[in-house]
Amino acid sequence: SQQGEEDPQALSIQEGENATMNCSYKTSINNLQWYRQNSGRGLVHLILIRSNEREKHSGRLRVTLDTSKKSSSLLITASRAADTASYFCATGTSTFNFGNEKLTFGTGTRLTIIP
Amino acid sequence: DGGITQSPKYLFRKEGQNVTLSCEQNLNHDAMYWYRQDPGQGLRLIYYSQIVNDFQKGDIAEGYSVSREKKESFPLTVTSAQKNPTAFYLCASNPLTANYGYTFGSGTRLTVV
């Protein structure tokens, strides 16, 4: 199974509501990252949280990380129609040389914002 | 604008044919990666390169080959040995700095006809 697994697989909410997505993983990590993918497009990096951080904010995004439970959540506040996309968590582990991380992606949450 | 350019956007391959997907970046990033994405699934790593003239196999390298002759370029060849090549292929880059997100191209959709 995937290192990162998102929950739920699909989520539909009304515009203006908050959206919460969860990610669970299995091994120790250096960081956890969230990416957005619009249909048929590449991924866009949203936010990165290090393993020694518990919460991070970026605009309308809030990410939490609980390393004891090996889980993370992404909260998007005041959702907009443009937030409709798939969201992936990716765990960074120190497998590569040069101190870089190998990213392992989950299967994603499909978010639909209803106008 | 700095970024990653993948071409072509759509590619059709006949059975038994090799095809090459292009990936070029002008971000001056040292590391480049190729991922495969199947419908409803996450990304799986095919190959990666952290320095010119060197590259490493990822989790699903069988049936694929790469080269890294220039820092800016990391082409992926899908060979006839890849039995199920129909997928969405994504190229990414990273400056080899810890705790730094990846930059992705817009992808190539490969279909076997």
Side-chain angles (χ1 to χ4, degrees):
Chain A
S1 60
Q2 299 280 346
Q3 156 76 329
E5 296 194 6
E6 289 90 340
D7 169 59
Q9 291 188 329
L11 178 62
S12 292
I13 61 173
Q14 294 288 334
E15 191 169 19
E17 294 180 341
N18 295 342
T20 299
M21 289 158 270
N22 302 297
C23 172
S24 60
Y25 58 93
K26 295 182 172 63
T27 66
S28 61
I29 61 173
N30 286 354
N31 61 58
L32 189 142
Q33 305 178 30
W34 286 90
Y35 289 80
R36 183 186 73 233
Q37 183 180 37
N38 290 91
S39 182
R41 304 297 298 273
L43 277 69
V44 175
H45 181 256
L46 295 176
I47 194 166
L48 180 152
I49 186 165
R50 294 180 172 85
S51 60
N52 61 355
E53 297 176 316
R54 292 296 167 259
E55 186 172 314
K56 200 162 183 180
H57 297 254
S58 177
R60 293 185 297 114
L61 305 179
R62 172 178 169 256
V63 171
T64 62
L65 178 64
D66 187 334
T67 53
S68 66
K69 295 182 179 178
K70 291 187 168 57
S71 67
S72 173
S73 67
L74 172 67
L75 169 68
I76 303 174
T77 60
S79 63
R80 305 167 181 169
D83 295 329
T84 294
S86 292
Y87 292 81
F88 293 89
C89 72
T91 50
T93 54
S94 288
T95 303
F96 290 174
N97 298 328
F98 302 103
N100 195 18
E101 294 91 12
K102 174 182 179 180
L103 279 192
T104 304
F105 287 83
T107 54
T109 292
R110 175 68 189 167
L111 175 64
T112 302
I113 306 302
I114 304 166
Chain B
D1 288 338
I4 296 181
T5 301
Q6 288 189 242
S7 62
K9 190 173 177 64
Y10 299 96
L11 187 57
F12 298 90
R13 192 195 94 167
K14 294 181 180 179
E15 294 280 354
Q17 195 177 46
N18 292 357
V19 290
T20 298
L21 284 60
S22 171
C23 178
E24 303 277 334
Q25 55 103 355
N26 61 5
L27 300 165
N28 200 34
H29 285 175
D30 289 299
M32 297 186 75
Y33 312 84
W34 274 105
Y35 286 89
R36 169 180 172 142
Q37 185 178 31
D38 293 284
Q41 297 194 29
L43 280 66
R44 292 183 290 168
L45 182 63
I46 304 172
Y47 267 98
Y48 65 96
S49 169
Q50 296 177 300
I51 194 171
V52 173
N53 292 324
D54 185 61
F55 47 82
Q56 306 296 327
K57 293 182 179 179
D59 301 318
I60 56 165
E62 185 175 352
Y64 300 97
S65 66
V66 293
S67 63
R68 186 88 185 275
E69 297 177 0
K70 299 186 299 181
K71 187 175 183 178
E72 302 79 21
S73 179
F74 192 41
L76 174 74
T77 297
V78 184
T79 74
S80 56
Q82 171 50 237
K83 299 306 178 189
N84 184 23
T86 295
F88 191 49
Y89 290 86
L90 288 158
C91 180
S93 72
N94 178 271
L96 267 187
T97 303
N99 294 308
Y100 198 99
Y102 286 20
T103 302
F104 280 84
S106 57
T108 292
R109 187 165 301 279
L110 173 63
T111 304
V112 174
V113 296

